[in-house]
């Protein structure tokens, strides 16, 4: 046994790419997390939108255990009944336009797939994304992600990506050319500060894509699986030609997917993944979807999100500029840097996230109770209304 602590070991042996909190998390149950000192926290981060069904769900644990013993891995050159069942299930719960699925292992990988499928379908190279958009950090996804901070150390970027202001149809339509293959957008920009898309904007984008033969890719890696009050946020907006999902798809096990319309074309063998659609992740996803449906977690996110937003908007605080969100995806924009407030909130036992310099982001597990939300509200009031 090493005499060093987890913090010392990680700091010594891992590449320092994550800005770390001084907290060692060891256990989770429902919307609660526990550190190595046995201290309890209310989770309002869900591992950045992963744990929608809560931590330590027995049904997912059982499904993983049983599937690993039956068959943990099965490369997609062979058929597998669990993957087959998940493919059918995902298509059945997705918007009608989406009829096929490609399985992968993460959000960035889902975006990589979608960008490649956009080009293989159209034969064109140009893809339009939004300023403040976030799509992951592998090369293709990074080119679509907005932000010099992320791109600059890794130039040159993949060519062909253009960025336009979010929620501004005029600027987007001006950017579309004869070379445009696709448009990739989030419906609620998560990392970019919890900025909710306008329905009319997305309706105009859908119409433009149809008119100009451009594919619409919606990135629901963060908004998927009940987070915004419907299974997919696009149910409240428009149907895409491709839908990228990951994070909470498999109840906490790494998995991503691209759901595609029949229009999407990709040559045999041109895009594959060893672990994509492995039966272990598929079994976890099936169990997680069953929980989301049976426990009506989307409806719960809608109702609790409305309550949370209403209560937050009534907080009197000289620090708060705006409270915004959809379902249980909530941003509190401050008039100052949010880092110190986030630190204080965590010290008071609530795990929250930053989204840019000035926004506190709340992504609680959808199983969070009203009582837990009230406790979170008390902490937020203590920190944000201090001195008012
Ligand atoms: C909207 C969106 N797309 C893509 C990604 C990338 O996902 P991953 O970290 O699994 O690669 C994220 C991650 O936060 C995201 O929020």
């Amino acid at each position: 046994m090493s005499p060093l602590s987890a913090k010392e070991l990680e700091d010594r042996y891992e590449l320092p790419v994550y800005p770390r909190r001084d907290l060692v998390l060891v256990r989770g149950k429902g919307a609660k997390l526990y550190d190595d000192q046995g201290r309890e926290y209310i989770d309002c981060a869900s591992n950045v939108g992963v744990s929608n069904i809560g931590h330590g769900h027995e049904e997912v644990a059982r499904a993983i255990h049983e599937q690993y013993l039956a068959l943990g891995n099965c490369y997609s050159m062979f058929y597998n009944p669990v993957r087959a069942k998940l493919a059918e299930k995902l298509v059945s719960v997705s918007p009608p336009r989406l009829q096929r699925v490609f399985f992968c292992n993460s959000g960035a990988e889902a975006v990589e797939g979608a960008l490649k499928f956009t080009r293989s379908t159209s034969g064109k190279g140009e893809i339009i994304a939004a300023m403040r958009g976030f799509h992951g950090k592998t090369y293709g996804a990074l080119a679509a992600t907005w932000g010099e901070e992320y791109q600059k150390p890794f130039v040159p970027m993949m060519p062909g990506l253009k960025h336009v202001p979010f929620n501004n149809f005029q600027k987007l339509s001006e950017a579309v050319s004869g070379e445009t293959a696709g448009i990739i957008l989030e419906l609620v920009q998560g990392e970019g500060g919890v900025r909710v898309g306008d329905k009319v904007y997305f309706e105009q984008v859908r119409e433009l894509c149809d008119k100009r033969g451009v594919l619409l890719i919606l990135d629901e890696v963060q908004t998927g699986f009940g987070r915004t009050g419907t299974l997919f946020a696009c149910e409240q907006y428009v149907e895409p030609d491709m839908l990228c999902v990951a994070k909470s798809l498999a109840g906490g096990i790494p998995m991503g997917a691209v759901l595609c319309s029949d229009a999407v074309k990709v040559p045999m063998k041109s895009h594959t993944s060893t672990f994509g659609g492995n039966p272990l992740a598929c079994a976890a996803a099936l169990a997680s979807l069953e929980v989301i449906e049976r426990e009506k977690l989307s409806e719960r996110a809608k109702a609790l999100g409305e309550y949370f937003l209403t209560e937050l908007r009534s907080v009197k605080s000289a620090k708060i500029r705006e409270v915004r969100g959809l379902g249980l995806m909530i941003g509190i924009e401050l008039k100052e840097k949010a880092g110190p407030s986030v630190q204080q909130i965590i010290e008071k036992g609530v795990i929250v996230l930053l989204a840019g310099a000035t926004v506190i982001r709340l992504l609680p597990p959808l199983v969070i109770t009203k009582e837990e939300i009230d406790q979170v509200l008390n902490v937020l009031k203590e920190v944000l209304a201090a001195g008012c």
Side-chain angles (χ1 to χ4, degrees):
M1 264 287 281
S2 168
L4 299 180
S5 66
K7 177 176 182 300
E8 286 164 332
L9 287 168
E10 290 207 54
D11 283 346
R12 177 179 294 188
Y13 291 114
E14 292 176 22
L15 269 182
V17 289
Y18 297 92
R20 286 239 158 92
R21 303 258 167 224
D22 191 9
L23 206 60
V24 182
L25 295 176
V26 294
R27 202 159 58 81
K29 192 75 195 164
K32 296 273 172 54
L33 286 167
Y34 300 86
D35 70 13
D36 59 348
Q37 308 299 308
R39 185 167 181 213
E40 183 179 281
Y41 297 82
I42 300 178
D43 183 12
C44 278
S46 297
N47 197 25
V48 199
V50 169
S51 315
N52 286 12
I53 63 165
H55 300 280
H57 206 292
E58 301 276 345
E59 280 171 54
V60 176
R62 252 195 317 275
I64 293 168
H65 178 82
E66 283 165 16
Q67 188 57 48
Y68 185 79
L69 291 175
L71 185 64
N73 280 284
C74 175
Y75 193 84
S76 291
M77 72 172 81
F78 299 106
Y79 294 102
N80 176 265
V82 189
R83 184 167 56 234
K85 198 169 164 196
L86 180 62
E88 183 186 41
K89 178 71 191 175
L90 276 177
V91 167
S92 79
V93 296
S94 300
R97 201 187 274 243
L98 305 177
Q99 289 296 316
R100 285 185 182 266
V101 60
F102 172 79
F103 288 119
C104 53
N105 310 286
S106 70
E109 249 191 86
V111 169
E112 292 289 335
L115 297 177
K116 287 178 75 178
F117 305 156
T118 301
R119 287 183 169 173
S120 63
T121 300
S122 67
K124 296 177 184 174
E126 187 176 271
I127 295 168
I128 301 174
M131 291 171 180
R132 291 209 175 99
F134 187 88
H135 303 288
K137 293 179 183 165
T138 53
Y139 260 111
L142 181 61
T145 287
W146 171 251
E148 215 197 351
E149 161 201 9
Y150 299 137
Q151 295 190 351
K152 205 172 163 196
F154 307 109
V155 291
M157 284 293 104
M158 180 183 101
L161 265 292
K162 272 199 224 171
H163 287 88
V164 294
F166 185 55
N167 267 343
N168 183 330
F169 180 68
Q170 175 78 24
K171 290 272 193 259
L172 177 70
S173 59
E174 283 166 13
V176 171
S177 75
E179 274 311 298
T180 307
I183 297 173
I184 180 163
L185 295 168
E186 293 158 273
L187 293 158
V188 182
Q189 292 187 319
E191 300 294 319
V194 190
R195 290 166 207 281
V196 182
D198 293 337
K199 186 157 196 266
V200 172
Y201 169 73
F202 277 96
E203 284 166 353
Q204 289 172 317
V205 175
R206 179 68 269 175
E207 207 178 305
L208 177 76
C209 286
D210 288 338
K211 219 186 283 173
R212 301 288 298 266
V214 168
L215 294 166
L216 177 59
I217 310 157
L218 293 179
D219 179 347
E220 290 227 39
V221 167
Q222 197 163 140
T223 52
F225 302 101
R227 170 65 53 199
T228 67
T230 41
L231 189 65
F232 300 110
C234 64
E235 292 164 42
Q236 299 169 59
Y237 289 87
V238 294
E239 282 190 48
D241 301 294
M242 275 180 263
L243 182 68
C244 299
V245 293
K247 286 197 189 277
S248 63
L249 162 57
I253 293 294
M255 186 175 218
V258 191
L259 285 141
C260 304
S261 79
D262 277 336
V264 173
K265 301 280 177 261
V266 57
M268 183 67 76
K269 277 170 57 178
S270 62
H271 193 70
T272 54
S273 160
T274 298
F275 284 120
N278 69 82
L280 195 70
C282 290
L286 282 166
S288 178
L289 278 163
E290 163 82 29
V291 171
I292 291 173
E293 284 181 346
R294 196 190 55 239
E295 297 183 9
K296 299 195 183 338
L297 293 186
S298 307
E299 291 86 334
R300 190 182 170 86
K302 184 174 182 329
L304 287 176
E306 277 164 13
Y307 172 71
F308 211 159
L309 276 169
T310 307
E311 292 297 310
L312 279 171
R313 285 184 175 131
S314 73
V315 173
K316 304 237 172 319
S317 163
K319 291 183 186 170
I320 298 178
R321 184 181 303 284
E322 191 187 22
V323 174
R324 48 183 183 251
L326 194 63
L328 282 172
M329 183 167 182
I330 294 172
I332 307 168
E333 177 157 4
L334 304 187
K335 295 174 190 160
E336 59 187 31
K337 291 232 179 320
S341 296
V342 164
Q343 185 57 34
Q344 285 176 46
I345 293 163
I346 294 175
E347 280 163 16
K348 288 178 184 290
V350 178
I351 308 257
V352 294
L353 296 162
L354 275 169
T358 57
V359 179
I360 302 171
R361 181 173 28 159
L362 306 171
L363 298 173
L366 311 184
V367 294
I368 193 168
T369 62
K370 186 168 170 292
E371 292 67 34
E372 286 164 338
I373 289 179
D374 287 336
Q375 289 174 46
V376 172
L377 283 164
N378 285 338
V379 167
L380 292 172
K381 281 179 204 160
E382 274 175 43
V383 172
L384 299 176
C388 292

